Amino acid sequence: IAGVPAWFVLVQKAQLARGQKVFINGAMGAVGQAAIAIAREIGAEIIGRVGSKSIAQAQSIGLANALDYTKPLPNNLNGIFDVVFDCNGSLTPAEEGRLKKKGGKIYDIVPSASKFVRALLSRSRKIIFANVKAENLQRVVDLAVAGKLTLPIVKTCSLDDAPDVLASLER
């Protein structure tokens, strides 16, 4: 399920292509890890922000440059990204705008009222709700089956408990 928003943003909405640059904020969360795998498979250059304890792990799964959340974004990243994907919701409007290049797009999957207003007033900022259609899920499953997408299992439960667990995650 975590792979679907990543697929929806990078492939269907952003149409990320080989050689493009993508910035992933929250790169070690489940959606962020899926985004890394999908962008890597496409052939994009991937840079992102993670917690300081996750930097080595992020680099091991394909993040070309893993940046620490606790440090400011380096100025050499200004205006170089085709796609800025905020999986965590913590990028400020100034940071988003600074990172994207002219014609680039900003996607956020953590909505708030102020983000909706910014998205309405901007052609480059979009709030995304993943479309969990079977065809989108199948593309993510295909990557997983090919061994190109592995996400950590945080919790296991019985099938009978699955609806309650999923409802809890959605809340």
Side-chain angles (χ1 to χ4, degrees), residues 21 41 80 86 94 109-110 124 142 153-154:
K21 292 182 181 179
E41 183 65 16
I80 67 167
D86 193 352
I109 61 170
V110 185
S124 63
D142 292 343
I153 296 172
V154 177

Side-chain angles (χ1 to χ4, degrees), residues 3 14 17 19 22 24-26 52 59 84 95 104 113 126 129-130 145 148-149 153 158 166-167:
V22 60
I24 302 170
N25 188 55
S52 56
Q59 290 169 332
V84 175
E95 288 172 328
K126 305 293 178 206
F129 296 96
V145 168
K148 297 177 180 178
L149 172 63
I153 296 172
S158 71
L166 287 171

Side-chain angles (χ1 to χ4, degrees), residues 111-147:
S112 71
S114 62
K115 290 178 184 181
F116 277 116
V117 170
R118 280 196 304 274
L120 286 172
L121 300 173
S122 170
R123 289 189 172 155
S124 63
R125 287 182 168 89
K126 305 293 178 206
I127 302 295
I128 299 293
F129 296 96
N131 188 339
V132 193
K133 294 191 305 189
E135 64 196 46
N136 295 337
L137 186 56
Q138 186 60 53
R139 300 267 171 42
V140 175
V141 169
D142 292 343
L143 280 176
V145 168

